[in-house]
């Protein structure tokens, strides 16, 4: 029996993770602050060897699972933040925390997180951290494991009376409509795939499909190229009445572009509304992801940057499109967003006073 508390005692409420590749045990130290700790263990004698701990000492929350990559080079903490296994320095992060995660043989990941309505969202990430697939499982998330059948995974969730087990088999076309996820705006609905204006209403039904086949209650967009309108009564003569279709809202952030357009962020509507000064009218709004909270404009790049609570920041290249694209992810909850010439300044909650 060996005892070693040189890097902090193991917190029994947070199970450790063993890496057979490098012969290391990772755990979260008890006490305050909590750190991610690694110690080498001799496979023959069981004696402790060299160790390392994160250099942050409480700057990051380390409350959930520790998962070590298959090759032992990376450590995932909180099913969101990636640490270098040698230095335990943070490298990058996924857009949001999750309850659990599992590494795949190809370097990808599966994460499970709880949705606002108490279900489990399964996200399958490829080795480049791109989102490959998403599916929903009944119940709140508990754990995810490799299944006995190669290439499939077991998702354990807490349901109404007892835990349930669901099987996930990776696929790039979960609704089997012939459109792979990257080209499918409705990846879990076989009735539709295309949404040109990204407003959540399909351009048309897939061949042989109709409203009765939609699993999400979709309705075809009467104005497939106008993000402000989708119902026929939103315009006349096939022309979208943008101003008439806009809801009442209070903007959370406002910016003025060099194109003489005012940009107004509405988190509750997942939109950036636009007013053209030159034309004296509303333009079609820009559709964002769920729950955008921050927005900044750069005159130098003529881009909008949109921030989300989990730390994700997107960019919109206004000169060529009005589509959100990934930009970066900060290491913890995003609390501020600004620009300085071609640079983007982001503040998160890292440390006692925040970091920039």
């Amino acid at each position: 029996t060996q005892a070693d508390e040189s890097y902090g005692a193991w917190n029994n409420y947070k199970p450790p993770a063993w890496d057979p590749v490098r012969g290391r045990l990772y755990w979260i130290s008890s006490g305050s602050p909590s750190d991610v700790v690694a110690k080498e263990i001799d496979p023959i004698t069981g004696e402790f060897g060299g160790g390392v701990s994160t250099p942050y000492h409480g700057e990051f929350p380390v409350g959930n699972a520790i998962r070590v990559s298959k090759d032992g080079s990376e450590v995932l903490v909180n099913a969101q933040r990636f640490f270098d296994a040698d230095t335990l320095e943070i490298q990058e992060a996924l857009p949001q925390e999750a309850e659990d995660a599992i590494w795949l043989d190809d370097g990808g990941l599966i994460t499970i997180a709880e949705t606002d309505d108490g279900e489990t969202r399964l996200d399958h990430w490829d080795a480049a951290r791109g989102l490959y697939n998403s599916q929903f499982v009944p119940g709140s998330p508990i754990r995810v494991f490799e299944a006995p059948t190669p290439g499939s995974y077991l998702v354990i969730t807490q349901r109404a009376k007892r835990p349930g087990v669901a099987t996930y088999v990776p696929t790039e076309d979960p609704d089997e409509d012939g459109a792979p996820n990257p080209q499918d705006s409705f990846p879990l609905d076989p009735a539709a795939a295309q949404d040109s204006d990204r407003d959540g209403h399909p351009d048309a039904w897939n061949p042989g499909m109709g409203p009765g086949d939609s699993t999400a209650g979709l309705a075809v967009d009467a104005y497939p190229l106008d993000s402000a309108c989708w119902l026929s009564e939103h315009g006349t003569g096939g022309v979208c009445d943008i101003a008439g279709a806009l809801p009442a809202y209070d903007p959370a952030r406002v910016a003025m572009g060099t194109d003489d357009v005012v940009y107004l962020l509405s988190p509750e509507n997942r939109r950036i509304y636009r007013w053209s000064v030159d034309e004296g009218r509303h333009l079609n709004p820009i559709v964002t992801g769920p729950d955008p909270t921050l927005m900044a404009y750069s005159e130098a790049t003529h881009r909008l940057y949109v921030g989300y609570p989990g730390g994700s920041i997107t960019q919109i290249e206004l000169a060529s499109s009005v589509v959100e694209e990934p930009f970066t992810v900060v290491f913890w909850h995003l609390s501020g967003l600004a620009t300085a010439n071609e640079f983007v300044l982001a503040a998160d909650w890292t440390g006692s006073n925040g970091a920039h």
Side-chain angles (χ1 to χ4, degrees):
T1 300
Q2 296 288 323
D4 189 318
E5 294 189 8
S6 58
Y7 284 87
W10 163 34
N11 185 330
N12 289 295
Y13 295 102
K14 300 162 186 176
W18 170 248
D19 173 21
V21 176
R22 302 194 180 196
R24 287 179 178 175
L25 186 70
Y26 293 87
W27 72 88
I28 295 172
S29 63
S30 61
S32 179
S34 293
D35 287 317
V36 179
V37 174
K39 290 283 286 186
E40 295 176 0
I41 298 179
D42 188 290
I44 305 301
T45 66
E47 293 181 350
F48 285 108
V52 64
S53 68
T54 49
Y56 307 109
H57 309 308
E59 291 186 2
F60 295 100
V62 288
N64 286 338
I66 300 176
R67 300 289 180 257
V68 186
S69 63
K70 298 275 188 174
D71 63 2
S73 66
E74 294 182 278
V75 179
L76 183 68
V77 178
N78 283 6
Q80 181 188 27
R81 299 174 186 87
F82 298 88
F83 291 77
D84 179 88
D86 290 324
T87 63
L88 287 184
E89 293 180 353
I90 195 166
Q91 303 297 306
E92 58 180 320
L94 294 174
Q96 65 179 20
E97 290 185 2
E99 183 65 27
D100 193 25
I102 188 170
W103 287 88
L104 310 183
D105 290 337
D106 63 0
L109 289 157
I110 292 172
T111 61
I112 55 172
E114 187 166 3
T115 65
D116 291 338
D117 57 4
E119 285 194 315
T120 292
R121 175 182 170 125
L122 179 150
D123 287 325
H124 182 166
W125 308 86
D126 62 27
R129 316 297 193 231
L131 188 59
Y132 173 77
N133 186 22
S134 293
Q135 293 190 17
F136 294 93
V137 180
S140 57
I142 298 178
R143 284 293 303 271
V144 57
F145 296 100
E146 290 188 51
T149 303
S152 60
Y153 302 88
L154 301 178
V155 182
I156 318 300
T157 61
Q158 182 61 50
R159 303 189 184 180
K161 295 183 178 180
R162 60 186 65 88
V165 180
T167 300
Y168 168 67
V169 179
T171 174
E172 65 175 359
D173 186 14
D175 58 9
E176 299 181 340
D177 64 355
N181 284 333
Q183 286 81 49
D184 196 338
S185 297
F186 309 96
L188 300 179
D189 195 320
Q194 188 172 1
D195 182 14
S196 297
D197 57 13
R198 299 172 180 262
D199 64 355
H201 306 281
D203 295 1
W205 299 117
N206 285 334
M209 294 289 181
D213 301 299
S214 173
T215 58
L218 298 175
V220 168
D221 196 335
Y223 301 90
L225 300 180
D226 293 288
S227 59
C229 302
W230 61 93
L231 298 175
S232 58
E233 54 263 35
H234 286 165
T236 56
V239 178
C240 170
D241 178 8
I242 298 176
L246 296 185
Y249 72 96
D250 293 325
R253 293 289 189 276
V254 179
M256 178 74 175
T258 55
D259 53 359
D260 294 330
V261 172
V262 181
Y263 298 91
L264 307 102
L265 175 66
S266 175
E268 64 272 20
N269 294 307
R270 295 177 53 184
R271 298 289 191 274
I272 298 173
Y273 295 108
R274 301 185 295 163
W275 172 266
S276 170
V277 176
D278 292 340
E279 299 179 38
R281 67 180 184 91
H282 289 281
L283 306 177
N284 271 304
I286 301 171
V287 180
T288 71
D291 196 25
T293 55
L294 299 170
M295 182 182 73
Y297 172 75
S298 169
E299 292 186 6
T301 63
H302 190 43
R303 294 176 183 167
L304 283 174
Y305 299 91
V306 183
Y308 294 83
S312 178
I313 301 174
T314 62
Q315 62 181 344
I316 302 168
E317 179 62 70
L318 297 171
S320 58
S321 72
V322 288
V323 177
E324 272 191 305
E325 299 289 347
F327 179 68
T328 191
V329 179
V330 299
F331 297 147
W332 200 9
H333 302 299
L334 188 66
S335 58
L337 191 63
T339 62
N341 286 333
E342 296 181 352
F343 300 99
V344 177
L345 179 67
D348 65 20
W349 293 359
T350 304
S352 59
N353 297 310
H356 302 83

